[in-house]
């Protein structure tokens, strides 16, 4: 989990850095960090710090891994304006 101290930053910033580094899943340690993390990640996509295509590819890989049809998954990224 991100709050375990493996990186010098925590919470939402650590999740953004993890996704930027290429991980598919950033584990959120505290329920209180969930909404701030989602907001930061959405802003990172809108502002160009995170690549939308890379995030969508991560969603597809994750859904395929757990046996779900990625075509049936809807995300806020699909409705966000480019």
């Amino acid at each position: 989990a991100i709050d375990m101290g493996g990186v010098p930053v925590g919470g939402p910033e650590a999740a953004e850095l993890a996704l930027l580094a290429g991980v598919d899943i950033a584990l959120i340690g505290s329920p209180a960090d969930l909404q701030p993390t989602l907001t930061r990640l959405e802003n990172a996509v809108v502002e160009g710090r995170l690549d939308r295509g890379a995030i969508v590819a991560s969603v597809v890989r994750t859904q395929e891994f757990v046996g779900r049809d990625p075509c049936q998954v809807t995300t806020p990224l699909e409705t966000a304006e480019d």
Side-chain angles (χ1 to χ4, degrees):
I2 286 175
D3 63 345
M4 293 177 67
V7 293
V9 296
E13 183 180 2
E16 180 180 340
L17 292 174
L19 293 177
L20 185 60
V23 302
D24 288 332
I25 299 173
L27 299 177
I28 310 299
S30 166
D33 283 336
L34 179 59
Q35 191 56 54
T37 299
L38 292 175
T39 299
R40 180 168 182 127
L41 296 177
E42 289 171 358
N43 289 339
V45 170
V46 169
E47 296 168 8
R49 294 189 314 272
L50 287 175
D51 179 69
R52 180 184 180 279
I55 300 300
V56 171
S58 288
V59 170
V60 169
R61 281 190 299 274
T62 303
Q63 294 304 302
E64 288 174 341
F65 179 77
V66 298
R68 294 186 185 147
D69 179 358
C71 294
Q72 301 300 316
V73 176
T74 57
T75 69
L77 292 176
E78 292 176 337
T79 58
E81 293 186 32
D82 294 322

